[in-house]
Amino acid sequence: MKIRTRFAPSPTGFMHIGNLRTALYAYLFAKHNDGDFLLRIEDTDQERYVEGAVDLIYRTLAAAGIVPDESPANPGDCGPYIQSERKAIYAEYAHKLVELGGAYYCFCSKERLESLTDENGNRKYDKHCLHLPKEEIARRLAAGEPYVIRQNIPTEGISSYEDMVFGTISVDCKDLEDNILLKSDGMPTYNFANVVDDHLMRISHVIRGTEYLSSTPKYNLIYKSFGWEPPRYMHLPPIMKDAQRKLSKRYGDANFEDFIAKGYLPEAIVNYIALLGWSPGDNKEKFSLAELIERFSVEGLGRSGSIFDEEKMRWLNGQYIRELTKERFEELAKPFFDKSKIANKYDYKKFTALLQPRVETLGEIPAKVAFLAEYTPDFDLNLYTNKKNKTDATLAKTVIGISLRLLENCGDFDINVLHEQFSAEAEARNIKKGAFLWCFRIAITGQEVTPGGAFEMADILGKEECLSRLRSQLSRLA
Ligand code: GLU
């Protein structure tokens, strides 16, 4: 049997890191086994529908490199792949299930249902309509009375299944309720749609979050009533924010696109989340998508929630940034550079060699280059004092004097040539090179920490700006 998995998001306007991980695992499992991966849009809850949400799902999967073999945009032979377009299918199967005895029509009013609430606020449907005479049902249906279709759960017995991650999961049928499968507007509930669709779409393995772990026996009863073979299941523990809390959109910290906006690379995010709940069995941490496909295994899936560690993802992202080609880095860094205070003032390409080894996310770029715009000549003179290099303002004055002279006479502003001249001059004057460079760098940047060394900074600033900054410093120290 061909392995077929699916990702079945509800279009809520937002792709959570947890959703993406579910999609990724379903994709990896399918591809590892030469199977198909499907995308199905679960939009039966029209109230939650958000404009543009489906596009966001496509965009996110595409950015992550997860390509569905079948989807609304690329349908196979079991479409439509959007649940709201499958209404007629659900109605047909719901009525069939009634005939098979696995479900029944229910005409109960809201008031009657409310009256079933016990003193603890719990409500369980009492199967009232299951016992209506056939003729009465036919009459009420013919009269166009509104109805729902409910699952007819056996009153006794155990329903259980083997989850591939969690092992045996059982529930006692008497603890289950006759849930609504088809609503009065003809829309299915998740309880029903997931079963009908997974069956008709020939899904062999259902991979989804643990929130469905304990309701799966109930879904399996529907498969049983239809005489269908249920799929195998892998339920995935949640991704945690810390030991107690799940990562969720409520904390605003888990959105894929927010991470992209912060300058994370999709391949680094994918790599990181692949390891949140799955272990390759060794210490390897960096995996391309192709490697993940090759290595993915059910045995590596864990049962406990993994804590999302942004620092770790940031570190991994830094590794990916270092590996980009120069051209690709330039292209990806550009929008971030454009947000900086110095956009349009400096030639951005001069920064890329400097920044690529120094940032872990592209979002750090504006802060890294801000010093160029933030130069104030009257910075604290104590900056010239550096214990390690044994520098102070007096030495700085000498260094600035020499640097000015060298720069004024340099002709071409060639950093390599200047570097040699500076070194020779420092040696001739018995000034340690480190001390010389410290004073020079402080003079032209006014910052203790800069994203690059003295000459890299000078190169970015250009000759005129260096000269003007050195002059202003010389007059301060005079
Ligand atoms: N639409 C459901 C969700 O987004 C899918 C659950 C499933 O994969 O069956 O949670």
Side-chain angles (χ1 to χ4, degrees), residues 243-437:
Q244 282 84 33
R245 290 173 298 172
K246 281 199 217 174
L247 201 63
S248 84
K249 70 174 165 188
R250 245 180 311 147
Y251 301 112
D253 51 9
N255 193 356
F256 178 79
E257 292 218 321
D258 288 349
F259 287 120
I260 298 294
K262 284 205 244 172
Y264 285 92
L265 308 182
E267 41 291 32
I269 301 177
V270 167
N271 185 159
Y272 180 66
I273 62 173
L275 300 171
L276 280 178
W278 172 75
S279 155
D282 57 26
N283 292 330
K284 187 170 154 76
E285 291 187 298
K286 203 156 164 294
F287 292 94
S288 66
L289 195 57
E291 288 170 319
L292 287 171
I293 290 173
E294 196 187 314
R295 297 283 300 271
F296 191 77
S297 65
V298 180
E299 295 72 43
L301 292 174
R303 290 186 187 182
S304 52
S306 317
I307 295 178
F308 180 79
D309 178 358
E310 189 170 346
E311 276 314 302
K312 186 80 191 283
M313 183 163 86
R314 178 183 282 275
W315 169 82
L316 198 57
N317 200 60
Q319 312 282 310
Y320 277 85
I321 286 183
R322 307 288 173 266
E323 283 177 14
L324 294 171
T325 61
K326 186 171 154 281
E327 293 70 29
R328 183 78 180 132
F329 180 76
E330 266 175 27
E331 188 185 325
L332 293 173
K334 177 88 167 59
F336 292 89
F337 185 82
D338 287 346
K339 277 189 231 144
S340 76
K341 292 188 183 149
I342 59 161
N344 308 322
K345 293 204 190 104
Y346 292 91
D347 174 13
Y348 135 80
K349 293 205 170 156
K350 283 201 170 165
F351 291 87
T352 50
L354 196 69
L355 293 169
Q356 191 171 1
R358 289 184 171 81
V359 294
E360 292 193 312
T361 65
L362 301 170
E364 291 161 36
I365 291 176
K368 282 264 192 275
V369 297
F371 76 98
L372 287 166
E374 280 160 4
Y375 185 76
T376 42
D378 53 349
F379 59 81
D380 186 353
L381 286 177
N382 283 328
L383 276 182
Y384 285 116
T385 305
N386 177 265
K387 283 214 183 86
K388 188 171 147 258
N389 290 308
K390 300 201 178 62
T391 59
D392 58 18
T394 316
L395 180 69
K397 193 178 156 198
T398 313
V399 168
I400 292 168
I402 301 167
S403 312
L404 252 178
R405 190 169 44 74
L406 287 174
L407 269 180
E408 277 164 351
N409 299 319
C410 76
D412 279 352
F413 186 69
D414 180 328
I415 286 305
N416 296 325
V417 174
L418 273 177
H419 199 148
E420 277 165 30
Q421 292 177 342
F422 272 55
S423 304
E425 196 79 22
E427 206 180 314
R429 309 259 186 152
N430 230 345
I431 303 172
K432 285 233 167 64
K433 201 174 154 200
F436 197 103
L437 293 180

Side-chain angles (χ1 to χ4, degrees), residues 5-17:
T5 65
R6 87 297 193 276
F7 174 50
S10 303
T12 56
F14 155 102
M15 267 292 260
H16 187 272
I17 284 290

Side-chain angles (χ1 to χ4, degrees), residues 6 8-10 42 190 207-208 212:
R6 87 297 193 276
S10 303
E42 302 211 325
Y190 172 78
I207 300 174
R208 64 185 168 203
Y212 301 99

Side-chain angles (χ1 to χ4, degrees), residues 45-65:
D45 191 352
Q46 302 271 322
E47 273 162 34
R48 283 172 67 206
Y49 184 76
V50 178
E51 199 59 39
V54 175
D55 282 343
L56 176 71
I57 293 166
Y58 281 128
R59 243 189 357 255
T60 306
L61 292 180

Side-chain angles (χ1 to χ4, degrees), residues 145-161:
E145 235 185 86
Y147 64 88
V148 299
I149 291 182
R150 284 185 188 273
Q151 184 174 357
N152 182 17
I153 305 261
T155 46
E156 53 188 31
I158 304 282
S159 176
S160 57
Y161 72 102

